[in-house]
Amino acid sequence: MRILIIGSGAREHALAQAFARSPRAPELSCLGSHLNPGVRDLCSGQYRTGDITDPDLAREMAREIQADLACIGPEAPLETAVADALWDAGVPVVGPRQAVARIETSKAFCRELLQKICPEAVPAFYLVSSLEEAERALDELGDHYVVKEDGLRGGKGVKVSGEHLHSRDEALAFCREVLETAPQLVIEEKLVGEEFSLLSFADGEHCLHMPPAQDHKRAYRDDQGPNTGGMGSYTDSGGSLPFLGRQDITAAHRLNERVVRGLREITGVPYQGILYGGFMATARGVSIVEYNARFGDPEALNVLPLLEGDLAEICCALVEGRLKEVSASFRPEATVCKYLVPPGYPQGGERGLVVDVPPPAAGTECFLGSLSLREGQLVTEGSRTLAVTGSGATLEEAEARAESWIASVGGGLFHRSDIGTPELIRKRIGHMEAIRGRTVRVGVLGSTRGTSLEGLFDAVEGFSVPASVEVVLSDRADAVILERARERGIPARAISPRTPRGGRKDRTLFDRELTREFGFFGVDVILCVGYMRILSEEFCRTWYGKALNIHPSLLPDFAGSMDGAVHEAVLAAGRQETGCTVHLVTAEVDAGPVLLQKRCPVLPGDTPETLKSRVQALESQALVEAVCRVRDELVKGKTG
């Protein structure tokens, strides 16, 4: 298999490394704007330098090497229809055609398209072609606005009120400057929250999602200084980010999927490539900041090293429209990526500095960017020179590994030492808590269908309850509750109570496995919903006050009974009233302190089935209320 990589930065170095790990052992070639020694060393085919935005040059090289697949790294070739030229020459491309790549190359096209596809996630915006229109837009938005140049500016064509623009006059001056050389710009509502990125493989109909990351655009510590192409980014080990709830990730997944389908419906052109969603987690949910049409740089340097699947296989499925047939698994580790850049960057980075790059250490990977080889030495070319990605079980470990390696790099480069540090992470979490309030992280333990969870799932996804469901665990691989969770984008895992030889695990040891899983996802509270096993004393002590069970009766009546047997007993006893109880889990079954109860009458003609249905509706309400009460207790504990 012959693969042509277009681009020659650190992102393309990461792509080349990922392709090189493929069992298919592809022959790699590269068309780059400069000679990247890291990429060149991985190319068993050709390496050619030239204008990567020239469709004819790309087509000529692809034909010469008889490429089976091309992968476009940067955005500039997408704007000039390099992907179109390659497809027309019979070379499948990971990278969208020009018509749909406009979702990145034109801010105006992007906003108008998103207004049709997912208007609820789009901030207020105005397309502006004169200073008079700019003044009217600023009047509407007040002090909270963002001014965006319409075309590609490498992440540097956006200015935000209060950060880059400190007065109306400054904003108008910037608009005047842009409109002197461009027909229009975009002025939009400034979103308040925390930004994050989600990259997805897209085949025109379906998506495979990568772990979310957070980029850092500003040049200096504490988010100070001018915008850059990205000084670094991080991902967390749980497939989320410390300041996000699982519902934020689910919302981002669904938005990327809707946009992929919407692009095809509106333009008639399938989007085949990498879709990069830039999102803002706000008080009212997830909003769209921007879309890019390729691997993010630096985000690709976080996610590609974690990819356990075969990148070549995934890309072949992508261009053939069969992503549903493959999977993309990622190691459950945290990564911290930091760029090293020359003095003067981003305004004008110093060129010609000799850089001493040590070999990667354990838990680190180095990706070469804007540098070249002169007389056997690596020298800077003015932009982001190289990046290091540290990985580990925790963000703290990953960040420490990255910093340790950086300390051995020679050449007078600078970097943002705060990216991925506990101090900065706490700042991000505190910011989200100030916006949304304290969010309770929920884990679920169940053995059956989990029907009563639907109300909680809906409330969480609608951001109407201050909670996130982080994981669902079961002792049964075929439990419907697991599939119910997966349909919502919630991690769902079965932990077998049996040993590999078929014997039963010791109850305490089995429950320790549950505790490890819930701890990995950082849950605050566990909801037992239709869990059919008795929990060990150790588990009950470990999670006392933080593990709740919902029982389908008004305890203490009918304690110890389960599921349909409870409703049969209620009818047999001639009760006029029934309901459900949420109580704390203790070693004595169904005997923990009651948190709340919901009641309903037993009606003439009721059967166990009709009674169960009515009680399940109460259970759905009770779970939402219980989570809210737990959250209130957490807040009291923090502030009391």
Side-chain angles (χ1 to χ4, degrees):
M1 182 181 188
R2 300 180 182 87
I3 298 176
L4 173 62
I5 297 173
I6 296 178
S8 50
R11 165 182 45 212
E12 289 72 44
H13 191 182
L15 277 167
Q17 283 195 12
F19 278 126
R21 295 196 300 267
S22 169
R24 300 184 179 207
E27 178 183 284
L28 301 180
S29 294
C30 179
L31 173 61
S33 56
H34 72 284
L35 178 61
N36 182 315
V39 178
R40 182 202 59 186
D41 290 347
L42 293 166
C43 287
S44 53
Q46 295 187 25
Y47 194 117
R48 184 180 300 181
T49 59
D51 182 1
I52 64 173
T53 66
D54 182 350
D56 293 333
L57 178 60
R59 181 170 49 229
E60 174 190 330
M61 183 172 180
R63 283 174 170 165
E64 184 176 331
I65 68 170
Q66 298 182 331
D68 301 299
L69 179 75
C71 183
I72 299 176
E75 60 273 23
L78 301 174
E79 184 178 36
T80 59
V82 168
D84 302 62
L86 290 169
W87 274 109
D88 292 347
V91 180
V93 186
V94 178
R97 290 179 179 267
Q98 184 184 52
V100 284
R102 291 183 69 205
I103 197 166
E104 174 173 9
T105 61
S106 170
K107 302 292 191 297
F109 172 84
C110 178
R111 282 302 183 220
E112 290 187 310
L113 179 94
L114 296 177
Q115 189 66 33
K116 298 174 183 176
I117 298 173
C118 44
E120 77 286 354
V122 181
F125 69 94
Y126 302 86
L127 305 185
V128 168
S129 57
S130 68
L131 277 181
E132 292 74 18
E133 291 177 353
E135 289 178 340
R136 287 195 293 271
L138 293 173
D139 288 340
E140 290 291 329
L141 294 172
D143 295 330
H144 303 284
Y145 57 85
V146 180
V147 182
K148 296 183 175 182
E149 297 188 47
D150 187 39
L152 293 176
R153 286 295 308 278
K156 303 166 193 171
V158 176
K159 295 199 175 184
V160 181
S161 64
E163 298 178 22
H164 313 97
L165 303 171
H166 300 283
S167 69
R168 179 186 175 88
D169 288 343
E170 286 186 16
L172 289 173
F174 179 58
C175 292
R176 183 180 298 108
E177 177 187 333
V178 173
L179 290 172
E180 285 175 357
T181 57
Q184 67 179 350
L185 54 81
V186 177
I187 300 179
E188 64 185 40
E189 171 192 0
K190 177 183 177 180
L191 298 169
V192 178
E194 283 292 331
E195 285 195 56
F196 68 98
S197 310
L198 180 78
L199 280 60
S200 304
F201 297 99
D203 67 1
E205 186 65 30
H206 303 101
C207 291
L208 285 178
H209 304 296
M210 300 175 226
Q214 186 177 51
D215 184 17
H216 299 73
K217 290 291 188 186
R218 306 296 280 274
Y220 311 130
R221 281 185 65 93
D222 300 319
D223 298 319
Q224 300 298 308
N227 274 359
T228 69
M231 292 296 290
S233 48
Y234 64 88
T235 61
D236 205 359
S237 55
S240 183
L241 291 167
F243 55 85
L244 294 180
R246 186 62 54 179
Q247 72 275 20
D248 296 303
I249 308 303
T250 299
H253 285 178
R254 290 177 177 173
L255 285 168
N256 276 11
E257 292 160 4
R258 288 167 64 187
V259 167
V260 167
R261 291 192 296 268
L263 277 164
R264 186 170 198 159
E265 291 169 3
I266 292 170
T267 67
V269 178
Y271 187 101
Q272 293 176 287
I274 308 302
L275 186 67
Y276 168 140
F279 301 103
M280 185 78 77
T282 74
R284 60 179 185 263
V286 173
S287 295
I288 298 170
V289 176
E290 64 178 354
Y291 267 105
N292 294 322
R294 35 72 193 184
F295 272 109
D297 185 355
E299 294 94 337
L301 314 187
N302 293 101
V303 299
L304 287 174
L306 295 177
L307 180 64
E308 293 182 315
D310 180 349
L311 181 61
E313 179 188 18
I314 293 169
C315 290
C316 286
L318 186 157
V319 298
E320 294 168 9
R322 52 179 185 85
L323 271 182
K324 285 190 74 174
E325 299 176 12
V326 299
S327 62
S329 59
F330 297 84
R331 291 199 318 274
E333 295 182 4
T335 61
V336 175
C337 172
K338 303 194 183 197
Y339 257 109
L340 285 77
V341 300
Y345 177 82
Q347 292 90 344
E350 191 171 338
R351 295 172 176 266
L353 289 178
V354 176
V355 181
D356 180 21
V357 180
T364 65
E365 292 192 50
C366 171
F367 305 102
L368 304 185
S370 177
L371 42 67
S372 59
L373 196 62
R374 298 182 195 171
E375 299 178 356
Q377 293 183 310
L378 293 171
V379 298
T380 59
E381 289 292 343
S383 191
R384 294 179 295 172
T385 305
L386 59 91
V388 61
T389 296
S391 61
T394 64
L395 277 168
E396 189 171 2
E397 182 181 25
E399 193 274 335
R401 285 176 169 171
E403 280 294 325
S404 177
W405 186 87
I406 288 171
S408 63
V409 177
L413 306 176
F414 77 89
H415 73 287
R416 277 192 58 172
S417 59
D418 61 335
I419 293 173
T421 59
E423 178 185 7
L424 190 61
I425 299 301
R426 284 193 297 269
K427 182 178 177 182
R428 301 289 192 245
I429 294 171
H431 185 211
M432 282 310 303
E433 287 189 1
I435 293 169
R436 287 183 175 173
R438 174 68 159 88
T439 298
V440 59
R441 298 167 69 88
V442 178
V444 176
L445 189 54
S447 305
T448 54
R449 300 185 63 83
T451 305
S452 56
L453 282 170
E454 288 297 310
L456 179 62
F457 288 167
D458 288 341
V460 166
E461 290 180 7
F463 295 89
S464 60
V465 61
S468 63
V469 181
E470 295 297 315
V471 65
V472 175
L473 303 181
S474 180
D475 59 323
R476 299 180 180 180
D478 61 349
V480 176
I481 194 172
L482 295 177
E483 188 57 35
R484 198 182 293 276
R486 293 183 185 116
E487 289 173 354
R488 300 276 189 157
I490 299 168
R493 302 182 182 181
I495 299 179
S496 175
R498 296 196 172 274
T499 66
R501 293 187 176 183
R504 294 192 68 82
K505 292 178 182 175
D506 175 83
R507 187 195 303 172
T508 299
L509 295 179
F510 174 75
D511 286 356
R512 285 177 187 171
E513 293 184 53
L514 299 179
T515 290
R516 280 195 295 271
E517 285 295 311
F518 285 129
F520 176 79
F521 285 93
V523 305
D524 299 308
V525 62
I526 297 169
L527 300 181
C528 297
V529 181
Y531 189 56
M532 310 298 274
R533 288 173 57 86
I534 296 174
L535 292 160
S536 64
E537 289 189 18
E538 180 182 290
F539 184 93
C540 295
R541 286 196 306 270
T542 300
W543 292 97
Y544 184 75
K546 296 179 286 186
L548 311 179
N549 181 57
I550 188 155
H551 191 270
S553 76
L554 298 173
L555 292 176
D557 293 347
F558 310 108
S561 296
M562 294 184 180
D563 202 27
V566 175
H567 308 299
E568 290 176 1
V570 168
L571 292 172
R575 295 298 173 87
Q576 300 300 305
E577 185 179 53
T578 188
C580 63
T581 302
V582 178
H583 65 93
L584 300 185
V585 172
T586 60
E588 187 177 353
V589 176
D590 295 338
V594 171
L595 186 65
L596 64 92
Q597 292 184 319
K598 294 284 184 182
R599 300 170 181 270
C600 67
V602 178
L603 303 176
D606 260 334
T607 65
E609 291 73 24
T610 60
L611 207 54
K612 177 179 179 178
S613 177
R614 206 154 61 252
V615 171
Q616 279 182 336
L618 293 178
E619 290 177 358
S620 190
Q621 299 170 23
L623 287 173
V624 173
E625 187 174 332
V627 167
C628 290
R629 289 196 188 185
V630 169
R631 185 262 185 183
D632 291 344
E633 290 300 316
L634 287 172
V635 171
K636 286 180 185 178
K638 185 174 181 179
T639 59

